[in-house]
Amino acid sequence: MQYLSLAPSEALRPWVRCCWTLEDAAPSGPATIVPDGCAELVLHLGHLPRRRAAGPATVAPRAFLVTTVDRPVTLHPDGPLCVAGIRFEPGGQRPWFPAPLHSLGDGVEVTALLGEGRTRRLLERLSDAATPAVRLAILETTLLRWRQPDRLATGPEHAIRRLLAESHTLDGATIAERTGLSQRTLQRLARERLGTGIKRIARVFRFQRAARRLVAGAPVSLTRLAADTGYADYPHMARDFREFSGQTPAGLLAGRAPIGEAFLRDGVGMP
């Protein structure tokens, strides 16, 4: 398997975490992609795997805006994979996809948002790219060309993300006070732009910090890991692991598939 990611240029940094490309000639069974609070544009250039977020697995669309920001997604590939993607910062999809995130369910086919012609041309350019690096450059230039200028002002989602990155113990009332928003407005904006409520997105961020440290390879006890990443104790952390990955911390560490691990290890811009 080959996974390559590219940090965004300065012009895209407030909204985009990275562009990435993945190729795997022989995927080894199902792969669980754990949530990180980010919407993601996923473009399948070859075989279409089956995908399960909630309910039964279905064949993944060719071009899909993934809006499952707070639940795991399982891929079931039964053929070679060639995929390109754009991982937005939490709330960062708005200059390209302004629809309220919570209204899109687990995601939406990109043709419904960008039109069939633009989507087809992007897929053709990516498929014709000579190397993964060229693919990444195409994604970057496409983002620069397609962004909507009237939506480029950084909104409250950026302040919310920064506050949650600074501390994993802030509650909704404190964030509302620091951003100058009422709690009702804060919760509404969180659902519209981040896809879920403030408390839940904070839990996802905390889980990601713990999960990334767990797979990084540095030896640490699970009790110490829980304390270092803001959990009250190990059972508290284990509950989040079961909810956001479907496994205990030890199970995630032992059973991780290469595809899922590649996304988890990729800490570009991670809060």
Side-chain angles (χ1 to χ4, degrees), residues 240-259:
D240 270 4
F241 268 74
R242 282 192 292 268
E243 179 166 355
F244 295 132
S245 74
Q247 302 177 80
T248 63
L252 178 65
L253 188 60
R256 60 197 190 277
I259 293 173

Side-chain angles (χ1 to χ4, degrees), residues 72-96:
V73 173
T74 303
L75 294 181
H76 300 266
D78 53 13
L81 291 177
C82 182
V83 194
I86 298 163
R87 187 170 306 129
F88 297 100
E89 290 287 359
Q93 73 286 338
R94 277 178 52 79
W96 297 271

Side-chain angles (χ1 to χ4, degrees), residues 67-177:
T67 58
T68 312
V69 299
D70 61 350
R71 281 177 289 133
V73 173
T74 303
L75 294 181
H76 300 266
D78 53 13
L81 291 177
C82 182
V83 194
I86 298 163
R87 187 170 306 129
F88 297 100
E89 290 287 359
Q93 73 286 338
R94 277 178 52 79
W96 297 271
F97 304 106
L101 210 58
H102 70 294
S103 71
L104 300 179
D106 288 325
V108 62
E109 292 197 42
V110 174
T111 51
L113 303 173
L114 296 178
E116 186 174 343
R118 282 209 294 180
T119 305
R120 184 184 66 253
R121 288 190 293 273
L122 175 58
L123 288 168
E124 288 172 351
R125 291 183 66 208
L126 292 168
S127 296
D128 292 342
T131 66
V134 173
R135 227 174 273 142
L136 293 175
I138 290 170
L139 292 173
E140 170 100 3
T141 56
T142 299
L143 283 170
L144 290 168
R145 190 170 68 250
W146 284 359
R147 58 186 175 172
Q148 300 179 30
D150 61 327
R151 295 188 178 273
L152 288 179
T154 54
E157 61 270 26
H158 299 275
I160 294 167
R161 187 174 70 236
R162 186 183 66 253
L163 288 169
L164 289 174
E166 290 172 358
S167 172
H168 38 244
T169 60
L170 292 179
D171 58 17
T174 303
I175 293 174
E177 180 181 353

Side-chain angles (χ1 to χ4, degrees), residues 19 26 58 65-66 68-71 115 165 220 230 232:
C19 298
T58 57
L65 180 66
V66 179
T68 312
V69 299
D70 61 350
R71 281 177 289 133
V220 62

Side-chain angles (χ1 to χ4, degrees), residues 38-59:
C38 301
E40 197 142 6
L41 177 60
V42 177
L43 303 147
H44 290 279
L45 310 177
H47 168 77
L48 294 175
R50 289 176 298 122
R51 171 186 184 275
R52 182 175 65 82
T58 57
V59 176

